[in-house]
Amino acid sequence: MSSSTPGAAGKKAKAATEAKAAPRKAATRAKSAAPNKAATGAKSAAPRKAPKAESHLAMVRRARRINRELAEVYPYAHPELDFRNPFELLVATVLSAQTTDLRVNQTTPALFAAYPTPEDMAAAVPEEMEEIIRPTGFFRAKTKSLMGLSAALRDEFGGEVPGRLEDLVKLPGVGRKTANVVLGNAFGVPGITVDTHFGRLVRRWKWTDEEDPVKVEAVVAGIFPKSEWTMLSHRVVFHGRRICHARKPACGACPIAPLCPSYGEGETDPEKARKLLKYEMGGYPGQRLSPPADYPGKPAPALGAE
């Protein structure tokens, strides 16, 4: 005769059923608790995730609201390259490839002292220019581009930087990004500057999933009126450098967290997130040695004084 009784068998079966259900119950509890964890964001209300089936109209409205809120956070947003005229901005933007604006700003005072005009730069001794711009990296290729564009400005444009996109992109080392920087900030012609920061933020915000900068520019241009293009570029880049970092965004200190469909990719604890803030947001110097008068941060140090 078996030692198990009908009652004991029933208890064992019930225990087995409960053990099987336990992982499912735990997963359900964790899922239901998740919104409470997200409530530690920068604002009192928990950041809203963008709907899975967000319509194009809803995305456009959300994108424009992000732009309005960034305008309140960064009313002083500006190009972070030091320049006094279109030629200096063009040169500085070419130099900014594969390096920081800070390093460019620390390098250009000596460069412009030696070669203040396109005519001077076109006639430079390559080895001497290379030595000046060496801190920006890729100095041989950049010297070739700068001397080439300076010669083109001298020979084809009377020593003046042209104010049209189609002319700028013909210059050596000048693409759409550089052209839009110059047009928007030296000539007041609206343009969208799709650099690394801009591209990754608009994808993080689900404005587009395009990777090609030209396609990104076209999509974003369709979302915003032309009058917003230049300042939108500055605001997005400012936000990417200060809060929405590539590797560890400071989600818990982000003022637009409720509008971000990628909230939670970075640090959500407010105190820990605040420690990730950079430049003026974190109380540190910015990238310009000569920032605008309304910039709330500290000027960057000169080369060798860091």
Side-chain angles (χ1 to χ4, degrees):
M1 177 184 285
S2 170
S3 60
S4 298
T5 64
K11 287 179 181 177
K12 285 182 179 179
K14 185 177 179 182
T17 301
E18 289 177 348
K20 263 187 176 181
R24 290 196 298 272
K25 289 180 180 177
T28 301
R29 284 196 300 270
K31 190 174 181 181
S32 64
N36 294 329
K37 190 174 182 181
T40 59
K43 293 193 175 182
S44 56
R48 299 188 304 275
K49 295 274 186 178
K52 288 183 180 178
E54 185 180 39
S55 69
H56 178 72
L57 178 59
M59 181 276 290
V60 169
R61 286 174 174 168
R62 180 170 58 82
R64 291 183 176 185
R65 186 176 170 193
I66 286 175
N67 181 42
R68 289 195 300 272
E69 297 208 7
L70 290 180
E72 293 181 7
V73 177
Y74 309 109
Y76 51 86
H78 60 273
E80 294 192 87
L81 291 168
D82 287 329
F83 69 98
R84 295 169 296 184
N85 54 57
F87 176 63
E88 290 190 357
L89 178 58
L90 177 60
V91 169
T93 307
V94 170
L95 285 176
S96 69
Q98 304 298 314
T99 190
T100 63
D101 286 357
L102 170 59
R103 186 60 72 203
V104 173
N105 292 336
Q106 293 172 324
T107 303
T108 50
L111 180 67
F112 294 136
Y115 315 108
T117 68
E119 291 81 1
D120 295 321
M121 194 167 285
V125 176
E127 293 76 15
E128 293 177 1
M129 186 186 293
E130 288 173 4
E131 195 57 34
I132 294 174
I133 68 171
R134 181 184 289 269
T136 69
F138 302 95
F139 53 91
R140 291 191 180 89
K142 289 179 180 178
T143 294
K144 185 176 180 181
S145 292
L146 293 180
M147 292 186 68
L149 72 83
S150 295
L153 293 177
R154 178 195 62 196
D155 300 338
E156 299 174 32
F157 298 100
E160 299 292 331
V161 176
R164 300 195 312 164
L165 179 70
E166 53 267 40
D167 292 330
L168 285 168
V169 295
K170 292 177 184 176
L171 299 173
V174 178
R176 287 186 68 89
K177 184 192 85 168
T178 296
N180 279 327
V181 169
V182 174
L183 289 173
N185 299 287
F187 293 100
V189 177
I192 295 172
T193 304
V194 183
D195 70 353
T196 303
H197 300 288
F198 191 96
R200 70 178 168 77
L201 261 65
V202 299
R203 285 187 289 273
R204 188 171 274 174
W205 292 333
K206 312 300 182 189
W207 295 0
T208 180
D209 58 3
E210 296 288 356
E211 296 280 346
D212 179 76
V214 176
K215 292 180 180 179
V216 171
E217 180 186 338
V219 171
V220 177
I223 297 174
F224 296 91
K226 187 176 288 189
S227 59
E228 287 290 318
W229 290 357
T230 299
M231 287 309 300
L232 169 72
S233 300
H234 292 323
R235 293 165 192 150
V236 173
V237 171
F238 257 58
H239 193 63
R241 285 175 170 166
R242 287 150 178 77
I243 296 178
C244 196
H245 313 134
R247 295 184 181 178
K248 199 170 185 180
C251 294
C254 180
I256 60 166
L259 299 169
C260 182
S262 300
Y263 175 84
E265 285 187 8
E267 180 57 66
T268 57
D269 179 83
E271 289 303 318
K272 293 179 180 178
R274 272 193 283 276
K275 294 178 182 178
L276 299 174
L277 300 180
K278 295 183 179 179
Y279 303 115
E280 77 280 359
M281 299 297 248
Y284 303 108
Q287 299 202 76
R288 292 189 68 165
L289 277 65
S290 302
D294 63 344
Y295 178 64
K298 306 171 185 175
L303 190 65
E306 295 101 324

